[in-house]
Amino acid sequence: MPEIAFVNDVFMPLSEARVSVEDRGFQFGDGVYELLRVYAGVPFHLTDHLGRLEQSARALGIPLPYPRDRWAVVIAEAVSRSGFPDAKVYIQVTRGVAPRDHVPAGPMVPTVVVTVRAMAPPDPGLYAAGADVVTVADIRWARCNIKSIGLLANVLAKQQAREMGAVEALFIRDGCVLEGATSNVMIVKNRCLVTPPEGPLLLPGVTRKVVLGLAQKAGVSVQEQPVTEAELHAADEVFLTGTTIEVLPVARVNGRSIGAGSPGPVTRLLMARFREARGDAPS
Ligand code: PDD
């Protein structure tokens, strides 16, 4: 079963996919992206991902070449060509190809890349025991709600986490925790779920939205408000949400146990509810 790429309207094996060295994505990180999951052949919350892609592109003045129904057709065909029932779909749209100049040269034809790769099931041991995370200073720009391909600060944070034996780095700015390098963060205190509110300093995660909905449906009280670093450490439970990690319990922050140091009841409830929801794969 092949890994598939779709580059500017042409499907091909991923190994054959090419873009120009003068692509502004390559030279400036001038582009946007999405990553979404396919469960049993069905894209998970495709409409939400396409909506966010549109918002990101609009924020940067990059015209998206396709309407939503065309994206859906391209993704369905790429997934079907790959033959992977459980897959991750990466979408990248850059401003286009032009001789290097910081100022974009008039209207350009955006470069579109879609790739489909198999998604290995997550390590059950990690989810049973809970993950280690570390905190890092947030050195990112002030428009983190845009899903830009410029991810250097996230890359460095993730690398730092890995070197410290952790799976995720949580960004701290002005004494508050905002999100992870590739995930949103939620804490539970006295059975109340608290997560930082949407705004320019964090990505409005699709999984975040799904999980907040599941929590409300399950009767868990939800508050979207700033979370201080002290509140993070003193939480009864901490967990992460994201397309690749789904709902991942955190056992330790900077080596210090959260609660009992194992996944708590609210986290376990939401892990179970998320597993049910992804079975339905609603759009
Ligand atoms: N990243 N915050 C950041 C900074 C992210 O990069 C991501 C996801 C999330 C979670 O968003 P969602 O639930 O929509 O996946 C939050 C993807 C997985 C990535 O960059 O690969």
Side-chain angles (χ1 to χ4, degrees):
M1 282 189 237
E3 293 177 324
I4 292 292
F6 169 89
V7 181
N8 296 329
D9 277 321
V10 182
F11 289 98
M12 61 197 77
L14 181 56
S15 56
E16 289 172 20
R18 302 281 182 272
V19 291
S20 165
V21 295
E22 295 218 291
D23 192 277
R24 291 181 63 88
F26 181 60
Q27 298 199 333
F28 296 111
D30 188 357
V32 295
Y33 78 105
E34 278 297 322
L35 188 82
L36 60 103
R37 289 286 287 274
V38 172
Y39 295 106
V42 183
F44 187 65
H45 282 266
L46 177 60
T47 308
D48 288 329
H49 283 283
L50 293 179
R52 189 172 62 190
L53 182 70
E54 286 167 0
Q55 277 172 17
S56 299
R58 197 176 311 121
L60 300 184
I62 296 175
L64 280 189
Y66 311 137
R68 286 190 195 185
D69 52 355
R70 171 88 177 121
W71 283 113
V73 168
V74 167
I75 290 163
E77 175 154 5
V79 170
S80 143
R81 283 176 183 245
S82 78
F84 299 135
D86 293 307
K88 52 184 173 183
V89 176
Y90 177 73
I91 307 171
Q92 177 170 312
V93 182
T94 72
R95 201 178 299 275
V97 176
R100 187 177 184 281
D101 185 345
H102 286 67
V103 182
M108 264 176 249
V109 180
T111 304
V112 174
V113 172
V114 176
T115 65
V116 179
R117 319 184 79 137
M119 184 75 202
D123 167 16
L126 183 63
Y127 288 74
D132 274 277
V133 305
V134 292
T135 55
V136 297
D138 192 354
I139 58 166
R140 300 173 301 163
W141 71 334
R143 298 183 76 187
C144 300
N145 53 331
I146 299 171
K147 206 160 170 54
S148 151
I149 60 172
L151 288 171
L152 195 46
N154 304 56
V155 167
L156 295 178
K158 205 81 184 177
Q159 186 183 32
Q160 195 177 326
R162 182 65 57 89
E163 282 165 7
M164 298 172 80
V167 301
E168 180 61 304
L170 300 181
F171 288 118
I172 307 287
R173 190 186 289 226
D174 297 332
C176 285
V177 59
L178 291 164
E179 63 178 336
T182 60
S183 61
N184 289 109
V185 62
M186 303 197 180
I187 70 164
V188 178
K189 190 69 186 177
N190 302 325
R191 292 196 71 84
C192 178
L193 193 163
V194 189
T195 194
E198 287 186 9
L201 298 181
L202 59 92
L203 189 78
V206 171
T207 322
R208 173 186 182 280
K209 182 179 135 181
V210 171
V211 169
L212 292 183
L214 293 172
Q216 272 156 347
K217 249 198 233 166
V220 176
S221 107
V222 168
Q223 284 177 7
E224 294 179 64
Q225 61 181 48
V227 175
T228 65
E229 201 175 354
E231 287 167 336
L232 172 73
H233 290 293
D236 301 328
E237 303 176 36
V238 174
F239 64 93
L240 309 175
T241 64
T243 292
T244 43
I245 56 159
E246 303 180 335
V247 177
L248 177 64
V250 170
R252 282 166 297 279
V253 178
N254 298 339
R256 282 152 60 187
S257 287
I258 296 297
S262 56
V266 175
T267 307
R268 282 187 277 117
L269 171 75
L270 293 172
M271 288 165 74
R273 292 291 159 93
F274 188 82
R275 247 177 269 131
E276 288 161 21
R278 85 188 177 191
D280 300 334
S283 60

